[in-house]
Amino acid sequence: MSFFKGLFGKSTPIVEDKAFTIDFEDALKRYIGVTDGDVEYEFKDQKGNVIPPSHAFEGAYNQWKGIQSAWDKRGVIFAALDSIYFHRIPKAQVIERFVIDRYPEKALQFVAANLNEADYSDPEILASLAKCHFILLNFEESIALAQKALEQDRDNKKAKIALADSFHLTGQHEEAHQIYQQLLENSLRNEWKSDEINVLQLVDFKNDIINSSVYAVAILSVPEADETIWNSVAEEFYYCPYFRSQHAFWYIRSGESLKGVVKLLATAEEFPWYRDAVVNARSSILQFREQMQSDDLWEDKLQYLTEIMQKNNWN
């Protein structure tokens, strides 16, 4: 699959940053929605010489060098890809691109401006929309969209995952479990043995087994799951406020309350519509104040969270 031909770069010494190439290729696959195999790409400078991604996207590369987090690095690469290929990927993938870059509201704005009546019969678009509404906590809408997608394509994995995730978070655990079990049985490849596969391999995008934040939380809710495992999976689901809140709660249960409240605050600031993060972050700050006998700890954060709760009438 060749998406990139003839992109001009600067005439500078060609030295590849292999770490950037690895991140670029991972982001590229997610951007265009490809899991299996390699994606072919080729960039050339003005003299026709093939150049690596770090030269083809020099601005993004310079930003990338100053970023620590995997998700923010991915976002920089997504933005660089947008500048050339945003209007060349399918609508379903544009929705996915926004969702996994932590902009589900932008996905809905794109939908409102660009989808036509026929698009609402496209199972891929319906599945991507179901995932978007799941992230936004619109579970009933997510269920309806996923079921409609499965009427058009009964094997659509993204729709099945969105349906199972929404079922699980609306208390329909048995229905969710049946879907997860079916996906697990149908997706494990010949090279995998179920007793040898680790958590990240099971849920990450690349292996295309069960790329579900809800399923990930479920299998991480065992005594054996440690901070290293949680953090490795967190890189996969940083766009999901449910996963991020559950990660924070795990820290709090594990006696790492400060790490937990910091994660809740970050989640609340990035997703202010996510009630669990906002309410629990505020409660945690108040508990810290009481324990430390401090009336001004995180005052600006507390005010921010209080205003959100008052605006939404959250108790």
Side-chain angles (χ1 to χ4, degrees):
M1 185 182 300
S2 181
F3 276 75
F4 306 91
K5 296 256 184 210
L7 183 63
F8 292 108
K10 293 178 66 176
S11 297
T12 55
I14 308 301
V15 179
E16 179 183 16
D17 186 327
K18 292 185 178 179
F20 181 77
T21 297
I22 290 170
D23 277 3
F24 177 85
E25 291 177 352
D26 177 74
L28 172 59
K29 286 185 177 183
R30 294 171 191 271
Y31 188 90
I32 63 176
V34 171
T35 54
D36 292 332
D38 298 324
V39 176
E40 295 180 9
Y41 60 85
E42 184 178 87
F43 308 120
K44 293 182 178 180
D45 64 16
Q46 293 176 334
K47 295 181 179 179
N49 299 311
V50 175
I51 56 176
S54 53
H55 283 246
F57 294 94
E58 187 175 12
Y61 172 58
N62 288 331
Q63 284 183 267
W64 174 91
K65 287 190 293 185
I67 297 172
Q68 294 296 319
S69 66
W71 42 88
D72 286 336
K73 287 182 174 182
R74 186 180 299 150
V76 165
I77 297 172
F78 274 15
L81 293 172
D82 279 346
S83 65
I84 303 169
Y85 296 102
F86 183 84
H87 297 290
R88 295 174 59 179
I89 58 176
K91 294 177 183 178
Q93 199 55 40
V94 173
I95 297 169
E96 179 80 5
R97 173 257 178 275
F98 281 131
V99 169
I100 61 178
D101 198 21
R102 296 166 286 167
Y103 297 112
E105 295 101 330
K106 286 187 178 181
L108 293 188
Q109 291 169 9
F110 172 83
V111 167
N114 294 279
L115 263 60
N116 56 47
E117 185 177 351
D119 290 327
Y120 287 94
S121 297
D122 184 321
E124 291 300 321
I125 289 176
L126 292 169
S128 291
L129 263 176
K131 180 175 180 177
C132 181
H133 279 286
F134 164 77
I135 294 294
L136 288 165
L137 312 183
N138 302 327
F139 299 129
E140 296 305 319
E141 183 73 8
S142 177
I143 289 170
L145 288 162
Q147 289 175 332
K148 187 175 181 181
L150 291 169
E151 290 173 4
Q152 305 294 325
D153 175 11
R154 65 180 184 179
D155 296 321
N156 191 297
K157 180 177 284 189
K158 188 184 295 182
K160 287 183 179 181
I161 290 174
L163 182 60
D165 289 350
S166 291
F167 273 162
H168 186 86
L169 294 191
T170 53
Q172 301 175 72
H173 298 146
E174 184 61 32
E175 294 87 343
H177 177 78
Q178 290 176 1
I179 297 172
Y180 292 136
Q181 188 61 34
Q182 179 194 57
L183 288 169
L184 187 62
E185 292 172 355
N186 293 343
S187 298
L188 285 178
R189 305 172 185 171
N190 293 330
E191 64 265 29
W192 297 113
K193 293 182 179 179
S194 59
D195 59 342
E196 294 179 356
I197 190 169
N198 66 38
V199 176
L200 181 57
Q201 290 170 327
L202 188 62
V203 300
D204 78 353
F205 170 83
K206 296 185 290 297
N207 291 329
D208 194 27
I209 299 174
I210 306 183
N211 185 230
S212 158
S213 57
V214 176
Y215 189 77
V217 169
I219 58 179
L220 285 169
S221 299
V222 296
E224 295 79 14
D226 60 16
E227 183 176 21
T228 299
I229 296 172
W230 269 97
N231 287 341
S232 67
V233 178
E235 290 192 5
E236 184 66 34
F237 297 114
Y238 201 74
Y239 62 86
C240 178
Y242 169 75
F243 182 93
R244 286 170 62 173
S245 293
Q246 293 299 313
H247 191 181
F249 298 152
W250 178 84
Y251 269 122
I252 293 170
R253 291 193 303 269
S254 301
E256 296 280 1
S257 296
L258 182 58
K259 288 183 178 179
V261 71
V262 168
K263 281 197 171 294
L264 283 174
L265 279 169
T267 305
E269 289 176 333
E270 195 158 7
F271 305 104
W273 41 264
Y274 195 74
R275 179 172 178 166
D276 272 5
V278 173
V279 172
N280 284 286
R282 184 177 182 277
S283 175
S284 296
I285 289 175
L286 292 174
Q287 290 177 32
F288 265 99
R289 283 187 166 198
E290 183 177 351
Q291 292 168 5
M292 300 180 70
Q293 298 182 337
S294 170
D295 292 331
D296 57 1
L297 181 67
W298 282 320
E299 178 61 30
D300 57 335
K301 304 293 186 184
L302 186 65
Q303 182 63 31
Y304 167 77
L305 297 169
T306 300
E307 289 174 359
I308 293 174
M309 291 180 63
Q310 290 174 343
K311 179 180 178 181
N312 290 282
N313 294 317
W314 293 342
N315 297 321

